[in-house]
Amino acid sequence: MMIGKINTVNPYMVQSTRKVNAMEGVTSSPDTIAISEEARAASESYFLAQVAKETPDVREDLVASIKEKIKDPNYLNPERIGLAADRIMAAYGF
C-alpha cells in the first residue's frame, strides 16, 4: 500500500472546478417582521407587571420626610389641615 502526498487533490473526488460567484442566483429583499396586536398587548402587560413588581409599595424616603415635617409643631396648622382635607375630598369626588 502506498501513501500519497499530503494536500494533493484526488482527481476522482473533484466534482466541479467551475468558479462560483457567491451572489449568483441570490435575490435580496429587506427582512420584515410582523407582531400581532395580541403579542403587543401581552408584551405591554408583562412590562407593566415587571415595573409593578420592582416598585416598592411604600416610598420610604417620602414617609421619612413627612415624619420629620410633622415633628415641627408649626407644620400642622389649620390651613395645612384644611388643604389636606380638601385634597382627600377631591380624590373621592366630593
Side-chain angles (χ1 to χ4, degrees):
M1 174 178 213
M2 184 174 167
I3 299 177
K5 294 180 181 177
I6 297 176
N7 293 331
T8 60
V9 177
N10 182 340
Y12 301 109
M13 298 299 285
V14 175
Q15 294 177 354
S16 173
T17 58
R18 180 177 70 92
K19 189 172 189 175
V20 178
N21 182 358
M23 296 302 291
E24 184 178 308
V26 176
T27 57
S28 178
S29 63
D31 293 338
T32 61
I33 185 168
I35 300 173
S36 69
E37 287 303 315
E38 182 180 355
R40 288 180 201 268
S43 173
E44 184 176 355
S45 294
Y46 176 78
F47 172 74
L48 293 175
Q50 288 299 107
V51 169
K53 186 187 297 184
E54 295 170 2
T55 303
D57 292 336
V58 177
R59 290 187 46 199
E60 298 293 334
D61 58 333
L62 187 58
V63 171
S65 170
I66 292 171
K67 283 183 178 181
E68 286 298 315
K69 288 179 181 179
I70 291 175
K71 287 180 183 178
D72 179 10
N74 296 325
Y75 181 76
L76 292 177
N77 57 37
E79 180 184 336
R80 194 172 304 274
I81 292 171
L83 180 62
D86 289 343
R87 287 182 181 171
I88 291 170
M89 297 296 280
Y92 287 105
F94 297 111

